Amino acid sequence: MTASASDLVLPSTGPEPLPQDTAVAAVLGYVRGRRALWFRSPSQPEGRWVHVAAFGYDRFDRLAPDDGAPGDRDVLIGEGLHGRLDRARWTAVRGALDAVWPLAEDAVARAAGRAFEELPEDEFSVLAEPETVGAALRGIWSRSAQLPGVRPEFISAALHHRHPRLIPHVDVTTRRQLWPHVREGDSGPEAVIHRELRANAAGFATLQETLARLLPAERVPTRVRLHDQLLWLAGSLRLPAAVGMGRASEEWQRYAGLTAATPDSGR
């Protein structure tokens, strides 16, 4: 099957192009998906079925970012995506945020208002270091990983939420997917994200525009966050589940109607 101009060719997610329809359904599933959970409480000890969010959109993407110095809310944001921390690890993550904050500020200053995908390739090359965005992002992960009791993905989540257009969110699953595609001279796995976003600029633009129409009341993810969602769903083997949930949503019915009414849409 020949890929259309809006399909996403993301080697980090797999060998086959990701059709635009599949990407739309997957993100809709990430936003709207619910799963059944048997819930017991003191008032209802016999228990009952409830439906809770299947993914982290409500606990992470929907929340407005903070400004100013790092605080306790940043740790709570990380917990919303990666689960609860015990007291010792919570304290460790909170301290790690202070430790890496200057590196995050360096990345923001270097970007000068540009989004991640708008940065030139040199920002993710070791040949242009030390003062590059890529070097700052590598420093954030490595410093976080070296601190006792700290899981770097919590730091990554908190900083991405603060700067959703610039700082990618990377966790153990997505980092494992990215590393095999790192080339000689890359500053780190973020260089792979940058290449894939640049190579698929038209596809991600179409995806963002579609989601903005289908989800007018929601906070539409940035391109770097959309890449993370699709990569995590593929790498964690949750992509089929998210696509199924997305195709069961009201928004998908509208989308299917719009694409059916546009015969020259390339699908």
Side-chain angles (χ1 to χ4, degrees):
M1 178 178 175
T2 304
S4 76
S6 64
D7 289 349
L8 302 174
V9 181
L10 307 174
S12 61
T13 68
E16 301 298 329
L18 193 65
Q20 182 73 200
D21 288 355
T22 301
V24 171
V27 178
L28 288 177
Y30 194 91
V31 173
R32 294 289 189 236
R34 296 293 182 268
R35 63 183 180 89
L37 178 69
W38 185 252
F39 175 76
R40 292 178 178 177
S41 67
S43 61
Q44 289 188 314
E46 70 281 4
R48 64 188 176 92
W49 285 107
V50 296
H51 287 84
V52 299
F55 304 108
Y57 181 84
D58 288 348
R59 304 182 302 273
F60 185 78
D61 301 274
R62 180 171 276 158
L63 304 178
D66 275 350
D67 295 323
D72 292 351
R73 185 174 184 265
D74 295 289
V75 184
L76 296 174
I77 290 291
E79 286 186 313
L81 204 58
H82 294 296
R84 295 292 298 275
L85 294 164
D86 61 28
R87 180 174 296 184
R89 291 183 180 274
W90 199 99
T91 302
V93 169
R94 179 64 186 84
L97 275 170
D98 288 330
V100 303
W101 196 253
L103 288 170
E105 289 185 319
D106 288 346
V108 172
R110 178 78 178 183
R114 292 170 293 180
F116 182 84
E117 66 274 6
E118 295 171 345
L119 297 172
E121 292 182 3
D122 281 353
E123 290 296 326
F124 303 95
S125 170
V126 296
L127 299 178
E129 293 184 5
E131 296 180 355
T132 65
V133 171
L137 296 178
R138 185 179 68 247
I140 289 170
W141 183 276
S142 61
R143 187 174 298 183
S144 301
Q146 292 167 3
L147 295 172
V150 175
R151 288 168 51 188
E153 60 265 31
F154 281 82
I155 304 300
S156 182
L159 294 180
H160 168 75
H161 196 268
R162 285 282 191 138
H163 304 288
R165 297 176 66 247
L166 176 64
I167 298 181
H169 172 246
V170 181
D171 67 7
V172 175
T173 297
T174 56
R175 193 173 174 84
R176 188 180 297 118
Q177 294 288 110
L178 293 166
W179 264 116
H181 302 280
V182 172
R183 300 174 183 171
E184 184 178 359
D186 283 350
S187 59
E190 291 83 5
V192 180
I193 302 172
H194 185 258
R195 268 196 300 275
E196 292 188 350
L197 286 175
R198 300 265 286 196
N200 294 273
F204 276 103
T206 299
L207 182 57
Q208 274 192 311
E209 292 166 4
T210 300
L211 293 169
R213 291 198 308 270
L214 297 176
L215 302 165
E218 299 293 345
R219 197 179 290 275
V220 174
T222 61
R223 294 190 192 184
V224 70
R225 177 61 174 148
L226 288 170
H227 185 283
D228 174 51
Q229 289 175 352
L230 295 172
L231 179 58
W232 179 78
L233 289 169
S236 64
L237 305 182
R238 292 174 171 88
L239 185 62
V243 169
M245 293 175 183
R247 287 176 174 164
S249 67
E250 294 181 4
E251 289 83 4
W252 176 262
Q253 302 307 315
R254 295 206 310 273
Y255 174 75
L258 288 172
T259 54
T262 310
D264 61 345
S265 62
R267 297 301 313 154

